[in-house]
Structure formats: C-alpha cells, structure tokens
Amino acid sequence: MKRVKCFWSAFSFAAVFALLLAGCSLSGAGRAAQAQAGPSPSPTIAPAPTASPEPQPETVEIRFSATGDNLIHNGIYEQAAMRTGGEGYDFLPCYEHVRKFYETFDVNWINQETLVTDRLSPSTYPCFSTPGQMGRDLYSLGFRVFSLSNNHSYDKGMDGLAATSEYWADMPQDALTCGLYAGPEDYGSIALQTVNGICIAYLAYTEHTNGIPTPQDAPVNVIYTNEMEVMRRQVEEARAIADFVVVGLHWGVEGSHEIADPQRRLAQQLADWGADLIIGTHPHVVRGTEWFTAADGRQVFTAYSLGNFLNAQSTPDTMIGAVLGCRLLKTTWPDGSITTQLAEPVLYPVINHYDAHYANVRLYWLGDYTEELARSHGVRGEYPYFSLGYIEQVLRDSINAEQAVAWLTQ
C-alpha cells in the first residue's frame, strides 16, 4: 500500500521602546564662559535606541473533514453504468449536492467501506466489490485520505486484497490510504501527510471482518481492535513523529445509536497513547461525540459513529449521516516549543436519498433537504413515518446536546 513518509493560545507581547532623552542646564557662570569661548557647536543627539520587538508565536492551521461509510450497493454502480451507456461508470451525480463543501477543506478523510478495484467484477452485499471509477470520482471531489480497514476488507479473499492494493498504489501520489499492512514487518510504516506545515499520522483498525480470517498468503492485512499491544506501539510511534494523530475505528453494533462502555475505554486508551482525533464508523447510524483528557493533558475528540454516506440500505436511520469538520492548529513558540489543538468540531448532517425502488441514489445536506423530498424517499414504502421531523429527532436523540451541529446549506 502506498504511504507518504514524512492549545490554541495566541499571546500578544507589547513592544517596549526605551527613549533616552538627553538635556543640559547651564548656570550663569557657565553662560559667561561660553560667551567668551564663542558659540559652541550644536550638540549631537544620538537617536533613541529601539528595543527589538519580542518574538511572537506563529500559528498555522488546516481545515479537516471526516466522512462516514461510503457503502456501494449494486443499485448505485448499476445506475453509474447506465449514465455512461454501459461504457464505464459515473458516480459523480450521486455527490453533486454536497461536493462544494469539500472544496472548503484542506484535508478530506473518508471510510471507503467496500473494496475498490479495476480488476474484479462488481458485487454487492454481503461481499462487496466496487468499480475503480468510484475511487477516481472521490478523488475528484477532493478526498485524499481513504480508510480501508473495515468488516468488508476480506470480502474477496486474497484476490480482493491484491486487487485493491494494486488499485490504490496506482492512484495519484497524494491519495493516501491507511488500515492495510503488508504483515507485521510493515506495522511501523505509518501513513503520514503534511499540509501547510502540519504533519498528520493516520491509523485505522477494525473490530472484525465478518468472521472471515486473514487469507493465507494475503499481500496485506487489517489490524483488529483487540490487538492492543500493536495499536499501542503504532499510536505511540505516530505521536512521536507527527503533529496530529488521527485514528479510524470500525466498531460497534450495526443499527444501534448506543455507545458501549468498552468503546469509551478504548477511546481513553488511544487518547493516553497519543491519539488526537478518533473517528468511529461501522454502525451505519449516527452516534454521539465525546471529549477525553489524555494522560498528558491533551483534549482528544471522539466521534463514535458518523453513520452512512452514500448507500442503498433500506431503513430510515441508515439514511441519516454526519460529516465532521474541524480545525487543526499548530503553534510554534519563540523558545521552539510546539503546541497543537483540535478546535471547533462541528457535525454536518447529510441525508442519503433515493426514489422508489432505489432509483437515483444521491446525497443532500440536511439544510437543503425538504419535506417534499422526504415524502418522496423510497424508504417510506416500508417506513411511512420518515420525514424531516423524524430526521431531526434522530439527530437530537443521538448526538450530544452540547455538540455543535450545523444544518448546512450549500
């Protein structure tokens, strides 16, 4: 797999200027003596020395986004093929209503839930394979970091792992992947990305792979969330070489909005080891968020589940996702020390919409979604209560009240 090696405080220091003023006063005798000696030359007054301004801290920042499960069912790739008359695939119309958002971010991360290849035939649930045009279209939308560790990573066995590895290796150099490793000897290869002077390390782990063991002779493999020592070593190494450590966790019970205590314990452990941001995926529904205080005092943000992005599932709550946006700030102080902060995390609700019979699958920000669209959603065939009100209630019940949520309109 291709890898690239590589508290927000603003203080103003008042500049101090010392003005040295020289002056003299002569007595009467002195004036007489001066008169006899003739006029004295005008005194030369040296310019007042100016103290150098105190050095100031320098802060750089990037805007970072994280997107949930891009889960590509057959209805989606079949429609993409129809758009081209069967000569390839076009997935871009699915994302048309949300694409401008990603242009405003410096880094866009996504959980690519299904294998993406140019070599294997497309397939759908329960063992997915997605046409390679999907990855190229996501790249054109502005995604640059692709998390590949999830319960579908082993869907196509050794051939699927080889094909998806080849695919991502052939993508442009700035398309970064995380979560697949070429065996234990590769675990020290941390995916790194530097943007605007800020270095970010990316790691990704999955709770399970749907009962499919690591294929024999597989070219790459996932790391499971119960491999605590492996995760600890990776996170600590990432902490030592990067300004920010982003960890993707594919975990939790599908369809459940509840946050389990083992998840909280793992999040705290990752924070203590060195994580700065924990991005949860897999349940296909949104869950809440939480700040953790790490052992070294850093504040670490966890989004337990961003829910679905593009998909063709069949229940109301899987139509409701959220995209995380935040700022990553790095301050270099005059003494050379560096501090970092993740600031202003905001969740942007996103609705996956399709017409009757899963036709015309596409995405909308909640701020653009109308009651008329909700009434026409294909999911209402079995769930007639699906509506704007229902969507907003799910978000209120699932996301912490203190967490900022933006009803984004593009």
Side-chain angles (χ1 to χ4, degrees), residues 246-261:
V246 175
V247 180
L249 288 180
H250 209 69
W251 60 355
V253 177
E254 289 193 29
S256 172
H257 297 279
E258 298 301 317
I259 301 167
D261 287 340

Side-chain angles (χ1 to χ4, degrees), residues 115 153-154 156-166 180 215 218-220:
L115 298 173
S153 296
Y154 292 167
K156 295 295 180 176
M158 185 179 69
D159 287 345
L161 290 168
T164 201
S165 297
E166 292 167 7
L180 293 181
V220 291

Side-chain angles (χ1 to χ4, degrees), residues 360-379:
N360 195 17
V361 185
R362 57 203 189 273
L363 294 160
Y364 291 92
W365 298 117
L366 180 57
D368 296 327
Y369 203 63
T370 64
E371 193 64 68
E372 181 180 4
L373 280 167
R375 286 197 299 269
S376 70
H377 200 299
V379 80

Side-chain angles (χ1 to χ4, degrees), residues 11-277:
F11 291 98
S12 59
F13 294 88
V16 179
F17 296 92
L19 301 177
L20 303 180
L21 302 177
C24 61
S25 172
L26 297 177
S27 65
R31 284 193 296 271
Q34 183 178 2
Q36 293 175 0
S40 62
S42 300
T44 300
I45 302 176
T50 302
S52 299
E54 291 286 349
Q56 301 293 304
E58 295 183 1
T59 298
V60 293
E61 70 172 271
I62 59 176
R63 295 200 68 205
F64 179 92
S65 83
T67 298
D69 302 337
N70 203 52
L71 181 62
I72 309 306
H73 296 85
N74 61 310
I76 297 173
Y77 60 72
E78 288 167 1
Q79 291 165 39
M82 290 174 61
R83 294 186 188 104
T84 66
E87 299 295 325
Y89 300 87
D90 180 9
F91 295 99
L92 286 174
C94 302
Y95 304 97
E96 184 59 34
H97 300 298
V98 299
R99 68 177 303 155
K100 289 183 180 178
F101 170 88
Y102 293 101
E103 296 172 0
T104 67
F105 285 81
D106 302 297
V107 178
N108 296 302
W109 179 107
I110 191 169
N111 173 49
Q112 180 49 48
E113 181 87 0
T114 53
L115 298 173
V116 178
T117 85
D118 282 324
R119 188 152 58 82
L120 301 184
S121 299
S123 61
T124 190
Y125 179 85
C127 292
F128 292 89
S129 178
T130 299
Q133 189 60 39
M134 170 55 71
R136 289 184 283 273
D137 285 349
L138 289 175
Y139 182 89
S140 74
L141 290 167
F143 290 100
R144 293 295 181 271
V145 187
F146 301 86
S147 180
L148 305 182
S149 181
N150 57 68
N151 59 307
H152 292 291
S153 296
Y154 292 167
D155 276 3
K156 295 295 180 176
M158 185 179 69
D159 287 345
L161 290 168
T164 201
S165 297
E166 292 167 7
Y167 173 85
W168 290 107
D170 288 340
M171 286 288 281
Q173 187 67 26
D174 61 342
L176 194 67
T177 64
C178 57
L180 293 181
Y181 296 90
E185 65 278 6
D186 191 39
Y187 289 173
S189 298
I190 308 298
L192 296 174
Q193 176 192 49
T194 299
V195 179
N196 196 25
I198 296 176
C199 182
I200 309 171
Y202 297 100
L203 301 166
Y205 310 108
T206 184
E207 204 168 65
H208 62 86
T209 48
N210 292 341
I212 304 173
T214 301
Q216 188 174 8
D217 299 324
V220 291
N221 62 276
V222 301
I223 295 173
Y224 294 104
T225 55
N226 63 0
E227 298 182 69
M228 298 294 284
E229 186 58 26
V230 175
M231 290 193 298
R232 181 190 66 79
R233 289 199 305 269
Q234 284 199 320
V235 175
E236 289 180 347
E237 179 179 341
R239 175 81 268 153
I241 60 178
D243 299 309
F244 289 91
V245 179
V246 175
V247 180
L249 288 180
H250 209 69
W251 60 355
V253 177
E254 289 193 29
S256 172
H257 297 279
E258 298 301 317
I259 301 167
D261 287 340
Q263 291 179 296
R264 287 192 166 91
R265 289 195 291 270
L266 179 55
Q268 181 67 68
Q269 189 69 79
L270 289 165
D272 291 341
W273 291 336
D276 294 288
L277 173 61

